[in-house]
Amino acid sequence: MNLTLKIWRQKNASDKGKMVEYKVTDISEHMSFLEMLDVLNEQLVAKGEEPVAFDHDCREGICGMCSLYINGEAHGPDRGVTTCQLHMRMFNDGDTIFIEPFRAKAFPVIKDLVVDRSAFDRIQQAGGFVSVNTSGNTQDANAIPVNKENADKAFDAATCIGCGACVATCKNSSAMLFVGAKVSQYALLPQGQVEATDRVLNMVAQMDLEGFGNCTNTGACEVECPKGISLENIARMNSEYLKASLKG
């Protein structure tokens, strides 16, 4: 498979940046997208050129580090996968592929395709911690009954890996699906009730402070999310926020 790659190159956050065209040949359809970029970088290094910077870690769809905007879609044309799980069989011989970083005010470019997503970390930190003793001298798991439906929804919300695809695909760069998931995974469990009020108020305040946009219920975030996080979590976060605001 021979491909033309148009890749965003940017030296640092203050650099203007531009799209640069590269050619890659003999790409196997069984390669992952990141393996294809590895091939490109090996060729660039061999020619004495600077390789393309991109984020990656586990390459197993767990960490969310590999986030790329490919042909106008977060994580590319496949569904339910991260960029590292995207395979070249989703493309055709002779294709031109546009590769960009996630673009959002709250995700400034560090270099090339790498963005700073530490805003997500600060939002989670603003949520604080669970004060209920969950380590050491803990209660037996069955001592605190949890409705199975709530437990299932909490686990579904907790599958969010914080990749930022929801932000990248939203026309307003909203982080509400991410924050909604992080709020929901605690709001649905008894262990999360003690700090529930402060948690949602502080996380939403930090989200706004970071410069993320507002949700307009377009639904693109759920479509592009590699873990299929439901919009229901945004509705739950709004409900939790309203209840917390009335308590204040």
Side-chain angles (χ1 to χ4, degrees), residues 28-132:
S28 169
E29 65 176 8
H30 302 299
M31 284 183 179
S32 72
F33 198 85
L34 296 189
E35 287 172 332
M36 181 274 295
L37 290 179
D38 288 337
V39 170
L40 169 65
N41 279 343
E42 288 173 1
Q43 295 174 356
L44 292 177
V45 170
K47 292 188 291 185
E49 298 180 23
E50 188 171 3
V52 176
F54 62 93
D55 243 340
H56 63 95
D57 191 3
C58 72
R59 298 202 180 198
E60 293 180 347
I62 298 172
C63 70
M65 292 288 290
C66 60
S67 307
L68 295 177
Y69 209 63
I70 303 164
N71 283 349
E73 297 181 88
H75 295 300
D78 207 351
R79 289 292 174 267
V81 300
T82 53
T83 299
C84 64
Q85 296 173 301
L86 178 67
H87 285 82
M88 297 312 296
R89 53 180 169 268
M90 296 297 298
F91 303 93
N92 299 311
D93 183 37
D95 276 358
T96 296
I97 304 174
F98 289 82
I99 310 170
E100 302 169 81
F102 280 3
R103 297 185 182 276
K105 178 184 177 181
F107 289 168
V109 173
I110 297 175
K111 184 177 182 181
D112 295 340
L113 304 174
V114 181
V115 299
D116 180 358
R117 284 172 293 168
S118 60
F120 273 8
D121 297 328
R122 291 188 289 273
I123 291 172
Q124 292 190 88
Q125 289 162 6
F129 56 91
V130 175
S131 63
V132 174

Side-chain angles (χ1 to χ4, degrees), residues 128-210:
F129 56 91
V130 175
S131 63
V132 174
N133 188 8
T134 55
S135 63
N137 186 26
T138 56
Q139 291 179 290
D140 183 82
N142 294 325
I144 303 177
V146 181
N147 179 282
K148 185 179 187 305
E149 183 180 358
N150 287 347
D152 289 344
K153 288 180 178 179
F155 275 109
D156 287 343
T159 61
C160 169
I161 57 176
C163 67
C166 51
V167 175
T169 198
C170 177
K171 58 187 178 183
N172 291 341
S173 298
S174 172
M176 289 188 72
L177 190 67
F178 165 77
V179 180
K182 297 306 175 185
V183 167
S184 290
Q185 71 184 65
Y186 296 112
L188 288 161
L189 299 176
Q191 292 88 343
Q193 298 308 310
V194 180
E195 289 83 23
T197 298
D198 289 339
R199 179 181 299 113
V200 67
L201 292 176
N202 291 342
M203 291 181 77
V204 170
Q206 188 65 38
M207 174 181 68
D208 292 340
L209 185 64
E210 296 292 345

Side-chain angles (χ1 to χ4, degrees), residues 190-236:
Q191 292 88 343
Q193 298 308 310
V194 180
E195 289 83 23
T197 298
D198 289 339
R199 179 181 299 113
V200 67
L201 292 176
N202 291 342
M203 291 181 77
V204 170
Q206 188 65 38
M207 174 181 68
D208 292 340
L209 185 64
E210 296 292 345
F212 291 105
N214 293 321
C215 174
T216 54
N217 298 310
T218 303
C221 54
E222 180 179 344
V223 174
E224 298 288 359
C225 175
K227 300 302 177 181
I229 302 297
S230 172
L231 288 174
E232 178 183 309
N233 292 293
I234 295 179
R236 185 176 296 106

